[in-house]
Amino acid sequence: MLDSAGKVAERGAELVARVLRVRPNAVLGLATGKTPIKLYRQLIGKYRAGELSFGRVSTFNLDEYLGIEPDDPRSYRAYMEREFFGHVDIDRANTHIPACPPGENPKQVGPRYEERIRHAGGIDLQILGIGQNGHIGFNEPSSSLNSRTRVKTLAGKTVEDNSELLSPGEFQPRLAITMGIATIMQARRVLLLATGAKKAAAVAQMVEGPVTAMCPASILQMHEYVTVLVDEAAAAALKNRAYYDLTFRENEALDERFGAYYADS
Ligand code: GLP
């Protein structure tokens, strides 16, 4: 738990930087939404300061809307350009988003995307946000915990949250292509960021609730290597907060003394 959304982004960026130091050609899983914007700004800052290069990095985004063209400012491709890719030295050929080209069968996109991830050697670090209803990517409550990249119908709550970003009368996507829960679980390491009071209930359910498809993020309890970074407001409903803070500090102290452990390094 950190005091502010700014600190969450700083710590998150430091963690990404540590991974890239060990593995400059890492495969990163990327998220969209409001939460990771500050993290991307921090990474851009590190790139500009000459601390990091994305020249050998490949990326796989979690999800994309169906029926929105890549050059539409509402697409996640446009978001990634605006918030991150356009400001760093990443090779666009190494950036992947599960978009469905016009006229193609969206059901074929998922298996192809999975194949690309496999071909790249799997995801080293998956960055995640969390929806107010506990979704990760667009894996809405009731999604199979064993799902793979596929077309998903957005939940009413997600459509409602997204509608804040649209002008009245604008086409509102109700379908998306998202990495599945099993796809996310296969990442070697996961970094989930949550900030703000609206996320408090979902964070508590994810960390302290039962593992259930009704809170897709709760499956992360079964992942081998997850870091959850939250600010005060998002941590507010956690019962066992003092213990998590202690664990975090102890781990930091160990990392400082011995260097950060990184699986497969
Ligand atoms: C969207 C995205 C998720 C994201 C979530 C939370 O639905 N598909 O990947 O984590 O929203 O977004 P925000 O960070 O804006 O709260």
Side-chain angles (χ1 to χ4, degrees):
M1 205 266 308
L2 297 152
D3 348 321
S4 66
K7 287 264 163 56
V8 166
E10 250 172 58
R11 287 324 277 233
E14 189 40 45
L15 201 149
V16 176
R18 280 182 193 170
V19 169
L20 294 189
R21 267 175 225 134
V22 175
R23 190 173 292 182
N25 60 346
V27 179
L28 299 180
L30 299 180
T32 48
K34 284 187 223 97
T35 316
I37 290 179
K38 288 194 171 74
L39 169 81
Y40 293 136
R41 299 230 164 108
Q42 288 283 333
L43 291 176
I44 294 164
K46 285 182 187 294
Y47 161 72
R48 289 193 177 141
E51 288 170 39
L52 273 188
S53 165
F54 297 89
R56 294 172 57 203
V57 165
S58 329
T59 64
F60 286 87
N61 265 74
L62 278 169
D63 43 22
E64 179 59 286
Y65 293 116
L66 253 182
I68 298 243
E69 304 292 310
D71 52 359
D72 184 313
R74 293 167 300 160
S75 75
Y76 283 165
R77 167 59 76 185
Y79 167 106
M80 289 311 303
E81 272 303 317
R82 200 165 54 233
E83 305 296 344
F84 188 47
F85 297 157
H87 309 276
V88 294
D89 60 343
I90 198 153
D91 179 350
R92 299 300 188 288
N94 296 333
T95 65
H96 309 272
I97 292 190
C100 181
E104 281 197 30
N105 178 355
K107 296 213 165 171
Q108 285 170 358
V109 173
R112 236 172 20 222
Y113 203 62
E114 294 281 335
E115 183 46 41
R116 288 211 179 114
I117 295 174
R118 257 194 306 276
H119 191 249
I123 292 171
D124 292 304
L125 175 69
Q126 176 65 55
I127 296 164
L128 291 179
I130 181 169
Q132 289 182 50
N133 62 6
H135 74 209
I136 44 178
F138 272 130
N139 295 285
E140 301 287 20
S142 83
S143 287
S144 162
L145 297 179
N146 215 14
S147 49
R148 290 281 166 184
T149 308
R150 70 210 180 291
V151 176
K152 194 71 204 165
T153 305
L154 305 185
K157 174 72 186 135
T158 308
V159 173
E160 194 185 299
D161 292 348
N162 285 344
S163 66
E164 290 167 20
L165 308 168
L166 300 174
S167 332
E170 225 178 342
F171 164 72
Q172 173 146 24
R174 282 164 198 281
L175 294 176
I177 298 179
T178 180
M179 271 189 207
I181 296 180
T183 322
I184 294 170
M185 288 294 282
Q186 242 175 11
R188 296 186 182 89
R189 184 170 185 179
V190 173
L191 168 65
L192 186 141
L193 310 177
T195 55
K198 285 185 178 168
K199 300 293 170 70
V203 166
Q205 270 186 36
M206 161 178 74
V207 177
E208 296 177 338
V211 173
T212 164
M214 294 317 289
C215 175
S218 65
I219 190 70
L220 295 171
Q221 292 175 26
M222 302 192 77
H223 193 282
E224 201 185 349
Y225 199 2
V226 183
T227 305
V228 176
L229 295 177
V230 288
D231 65 358
E232 283 271 1
L238 288 166
K239 294 200 185 79
N240 219 357
R241 238 168 98 170
Y243 177 68
Y244 311 137
D245 284 342
L246 180 63
T247 310
F248 188 69
R249 284 199 301 274
E250 294 292 359
N251 277 333
E252 289 290 297
L254 281 174
D255 279 0
E256 249 162 59
R257 270 190 74 193
F258 300 108
Y261 161 77
Y262 181 54
D264 284 343
S265 63

